[in-house]
Amino acid sequence: MIKILTIIGARPQIIKAAAISRAVRNSFAGQIKEVIIHTGQHYDDNMSKVFFQELGIPLPDYYLGVGSTSHGRQTALMIEGIEKILLDEKPDYLLVYGDTNSTLAGAVAASKINVPVVHVEAGLRSFNKSMPEEINRIVCDHVSTLLFTPTETGYKNLLNEGFKENNSTHADIDQPAIYHCGDVMLDNSLYFSELADKTSTVSKDNNLQESGYILATIHRANNTDDPQRLSAIFEALHEISLKHTLTVVMPLHPRTSGLLEKSLPKELYSEVFNNPLFRIIPPVSFLDMIQLEKQALMIITDSGGVQKEAYFFGKPSVIARAETEWTEIIDADAGIIADANKQQIMYAMEYYLTGPSIEFKPVFGDGKAAEFICSKLLEHKGK
Ligand code: UD1
Ligand code: UDP
């Protein structure tokens, strides 16, 4: 039996954790014991609690309750809390997902006291170090022992940074092992898709017709905290909705909803809120979200996870960022990088409204990434 200590904190990590927890429960019970620490980075019920209930994730064994504060303080509080638990629990591995401050804190706390770090969603790069996430993922990768990349590009990025192919079952922080295994998010999207069809009432509740709306999510710091960028995105969505009589559904991250009134010019704010086609709603549950994605005409987002889910469900996405880590989506013509530029966003949406034919090749794995990861954890411990 090996013990893994999993760090979650932000919404997408809670969702990703569902895939590994499910694999542990269904295929590795008796071989892997999982202990979960929730840092409390996200804490509203609709950003955290809802996912545990809906996705069948065991409740966290530890809750640090760190909450929202500056990057430095938030990360420091997490490191302090995680270190104490690591010393008590003495796990075989610490497992972290993605690129948030919770990821960074887990990686730093564990690597400093010689607990091997497992990074799920390793190797992704935006090549833009002004993004806090880019710093988090680079640091995390370079103190990890086992690195699992969701895409071929992620694997190549690691090779370019000096990581070596390591086929032996010995790995440590100085000789890490890297694997391309596919995306645990695809595992989840496939697993929960049918349940979403059966149980989600989000379309009915919001009076939505299949393929009759654009789904939008915006939360990235450089969009929410820059009034010009935020306004450009809302202007483009408002104009497109009026021009094509298309509904825009926007489950809004609390970071963004807290800033809308302050950051949008008064006139635009009132136009958007008086536009009957514009539905700004609170964050939705995962089953509701994938239902919204599956039935959307197209998706506009600055989220990493939502870009990928758009692709999993065969929907084009307009990416409200200057770059993406998920370059396979761009290569397939399934996504267009439009930044927060009104003209580029409108051009990209008009392009996808013409219904170009897109081939959604299976570049994110086979839906069994979590099983692969668990089996490698055992193999590296000689089990
Ligand atoms: C974080 C991650 C980002 C990830 C996103 C997923 C970092 C640096 N950023 O960004 O990579 O894409 O999570 O959603 O780790 N807030 C609430 N309630 C909550 C959580 C947040 O009101 O439950 C508000 C607070 O005002 C807070 C703000 O959102 O200050 C930002 O939260 P924070 O966790 O710092 O960053 P995110 O923007 O959520
Ligand atoms: N998501 C959700 N409800 C919402 C918005 C997003 O369940 O209202 C899910 C979405 O399906 C995806 C994940 O949250 O699985 C993406 O998280 P987010 O956009 O917050 O962060 P990112 O992926 O950009 O780090």
Side-chain angles (χ1 to χ4, degrees), residues 68-123:
S68 305
T69 171
S70 69
H71 282 276
R73 185 170 158 73
Q74 189 181 54
T75 312
L77 288 170
M78 292 176 190
I79 293 176
E80 190 183 15
I82 294 167
E83 184 184 56
K84 277 199 194 102
I85 300 167
L86 282 168
L87 292 170
D88 284 347
E89 289 281 351
K90 300 183 181 54
D92 293 288
Y93 294 108
L94 174 120
L95 189 149
V96 285
Y97 295 97
D99 54 21
T100 73
N101 288 346
S102 298
T103 316
L104 175 68
V108 172
S111 58
K112 289 288 192 83
I113 54 173
N114 301 323
V115 174
V117 175
V118 177
H119 190 198
V120 176
E121 215 176 73

Side-chain angles (χ1 to χ4, degrees), residues 11-12 15 51 185 219-220 251 283-284 286 289 293 303-305 309:
R11 170 170 66 188
I15 295 169
F51 302 110
M185 290 191 65
H219 77 274
R220 214 42 80 177
V284 294
F286 182 70
M289 188 61 185
E293 290 166 348
S303 157
E309 286 164 353

Side-chain angles (χ1 to χ4, degrees), residues 22 25-26 55 186-195:
R22 193 168 58 248
R25 221 170 33 243
N26 294 345
L55 308 185
L186 177 63
D187 297 15
N188 276 336
S189 290
L190 295 177
Y191 186 83
F192 288 109
S193 174
E194 213 181 299
L195 186 62

Side-chain angles (χ1 to χ4, degrees), residues 111-359:
S111 58
K112 289 288 192 83
I113 54 173
N114 301 323
V115 174
V117 175
V118 177
H119 190 198
V120 176
E121 215 176 73
L124 278 306
R125 297 290 181 265
S126 63
F127 302 101
N128 171 5
K129 288 199 187 112
S130 72
M131 272 182 93
E133 292 85 353
E134 184 77 349
I135 310 281
N136 293 346
R137 45 172 104 97
I138 291 173
V139 174
C140 180
D141 279 344
H142 285 266
V143 296
S144 290
T145 291
L146 301 181
L147 297 91
F148 294 95
T149 78
T151 57
E152 191 78 41
T153 305
Y155 192 80
K156 285 188 188 145
N157 288 338
L158 292 179
L159 293 178
N160 288 339
E161 287 177 20
F163 285 85
K164 305 261 182 317
E165 309 232 9
N166 172 357
N167 295 324
S168 86
T169 52
H170 174 78
D172 60 35
I173 189 169
D174 292 313
Q175 300 165 80
I178 61 175
Y179 297 99
H180 169 213
C181 66
D183 199 321
V184 291
M185 290 191 65
L186 177 63
D187 297 15
N188 276 336
S189 290
L190 295 177
Y191 186 83
F192 288 109
S193 174
E194 213 181 299
L195 186 62
D197 287 340
K198 283 192 192 134
T199 60
S200 173
T201 58
V202 70
S203 305
K204 197 163 144 254
D205 298 345
N206 290 284
N207 198 15
L208 301 171
Q209 307 305 320
E210 183 154 6
S211 300
Y213 62 92
I214 296 172
L215 176 65
T217 78
I218 296 294
H219 77 274
R220 214 42 80 177
N222 76 331
N223 283 333
T224 60
D225 298 3
D226 179 336
Q228 264 186 339
R229 293 178 64 90
L230 198 62
S231 302
I233 295 167
F234 275 82
E235 270 178 38
L237 282 168
H238 176 59
E239 283 186 26
I240 280 278
S241 85
L242 293 181
K243 184 171 168 203
H244 294 280
T245 325
L246 264 175
T247 301
V248 175
V249 183
M250 202 169 198
L252 213 50
H253 190 293
R255 173 180 204 117
T256 322
S257 41
L259 285 165
L260 272 193
E261 188 164 7
K262 191 172 129 225
S263 298
L264 295 188
K266 265 203 173 77
E267 205 184 322
L268 177 63
Y269 182 84
S270 103
E271 275 173 3
V272 165
F273 278 86
N274 288 318
N275 175 350
L277 295 164
F278 225 103
R279 313 266 164 79
I280 296 182
I281 59 176
V284 294
S285 76
F286 182 70
L287 294 182
D288 284 348
M289 188 61 185
I290 60 175
Q291 198 59 13
L292 286 174
E293 290 166 348
K294 284 164 70 170
Q295 298 198 346
L297 181 59
M298 73 175 89
I299 296 176
I300 165 162
T301 189
D302 59 8
S303 157
V306 176
Q307 272 172 64
K308 283 185 291 173
E309 286 164 353
Y311 189 94
F312 301 159
F313 294 123
K315 304 292 168 174
S317 57
V318 176
I319 299 161
R321 286 182 47 196
E323 72 282 305
T324 180
E325 301 78 26
W326 308 102
T327 52
E328 287 78 359
I329 298 176
I330 309 303
D331 296 344
D333 196 32
I336 293 177
I337 292 178
D339 207 355
N341 176 306
K342 181 180 164 189
Q343 269 67 40
Q344 286 181 37
I345 293 173
M346 292 188 64
Y347 168 82
M349 289 194 286
E350 294 283 3
Y351 171 69
Y352 286 130
L353 282 171
T354 65
S357 102
I358 303 166
E359 195 186 346

